[in-house]
């Protein structure tokens, strides 16, 4: 049995950004009916695949997905300027999990959180902060003195 959708935050974030003439509740029911092929007008009774399709459509309509992508891109560029290896998702997530940065992995940060993160990154950049990248791999260390060679 497939698990029902229990959190409707993704839907309401985008839905509330739409300019809807008339009754919002009625418009929501029409959308749900459309994405469930008239099976139900309730978000709770939607199948996960139907819910995901509905959310993607509303995010596109509201422009949320484009704004989210732009904010993520901006944050990644700033992280790169601060010395974070943006080709390594593990390093990006470790950086973002820091209590002074975002307290969560990068992929879980919403639009408002990305705006706050961007402000923090600009502040760090303005202060001249840079991630410590001076760690040399063991094979780069000068072992000549240790091995008795001069």
């Amino acid at each position: 049995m497939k698990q029902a959708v229990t959190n409707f935050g993704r839907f309401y974030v985008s839905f509330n950004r739409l300019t809807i003439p008339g009754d919002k509740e009625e418009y929501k029911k029409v959308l749900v009916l459309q994405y469930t092929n008239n099976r139900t007008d309730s978000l709770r009774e939607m199948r996960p695949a139907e819910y995901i399709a509905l959310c993607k459509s509303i995010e596109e309509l509201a422009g949320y997905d484009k704004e989210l992508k732009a904010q993520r891109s901006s944050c990644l560029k700033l992280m790169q300027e601060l010395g974070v290896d943006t080709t390594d998702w593990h390093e990006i997530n470790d950086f973002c999990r820091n209590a002074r940065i975002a307290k969560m992995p990068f992929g879980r940060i919403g639009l408002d959180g990305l705006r706050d993160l961007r402000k923090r990154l600009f502040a760090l950049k303005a202060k001249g902060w840079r991630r410590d990248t001076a760690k040399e791999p063991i094979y780069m260390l000068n072992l000549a003195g240790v091995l008795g060679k001069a």
Side-chain angles (χ1 to χ4, degrees), residues 4-148:
V5 179
T6 56
N7 182 344
F8 304 108
R10 180 179 177 188
F11 172 80
Y12 282 109
V13 163
S14 296
F15 185 74
N16 290 333
R17 292 176 60 125
L18 296 175
T19 304
I20 300 170
D23 185 22
K24 279 190 158 195
E25 191 63 30
E26 192 61 36
Y27 190 72
K28 180 188 83 165
K29 287 180 180 182
V30 169
L31 285 172
V32 173
L33 279 168
Q34 179 183 344
Y35 279 86
T36 60
N37 293 321
N38 292 324
R39 184 177 50 81
T40 182
D41 65 357
S42 169
L43 277 174
R44 291 188 185 279
E45 295 174 13
M46 289 186 87
R47 296 183 180 119
E50 295 168 339
Y51 177 75
I52 290 168
L54 172 62
C55 288
K56 283 183 181 178
S57 174
I58 292 174
E59 288 168 355
E60 187 176 310
L61 189 61
Y64 182 82
D65 58 336
K66 289 179 183 174
E67 191 173 350
L68 187 66
K69 184 177 180 178
Q71 288 292 330
R72 284 181 177 159
S73 178
S74 176
C75 287
L76 287 170
K77 184 178 184 304
L78 286 165
M79 282 185 221
Q80 188 176 37
E81 291 172 3
L82 293 170
V84 177
D85 180 6
T86 56
T87 62
D88 182 1
W89 284 108
H90 183 71
E91 186 170 338
I92 293 167
N93 287 330
D94 282 348
F95 177 76
C96 289
R97 279 188 191 107
N98 184 304
R100 293 183 179 182
I101 304 297
K103 299 179 186 175
M104 65 180 70
F106 185 72
R108 301 211 46 214
I109 304 171
L111 190 56
D112 291 334
L114 287 168
R115 288 183 186 127
D116 291 341
L117 173 61
R118 196 164 167 259
K119 288 177 187 174
R120 285 189 190 104
L121 295 173
F122 271 123
L124 288 172
K125 185 178 174 184
K127 291 178 182 179
W129 184 88
R130 190 131 170 93
R131 183 142 179 154
D132 182 18
T133 56
K135 300 175 188 171
E136 291 186 55
I138 191 76
Y139 61 85
M140 297 294 287
L141 296 176
N142 184 358
L143 297 176
V146 175
L147 298 175

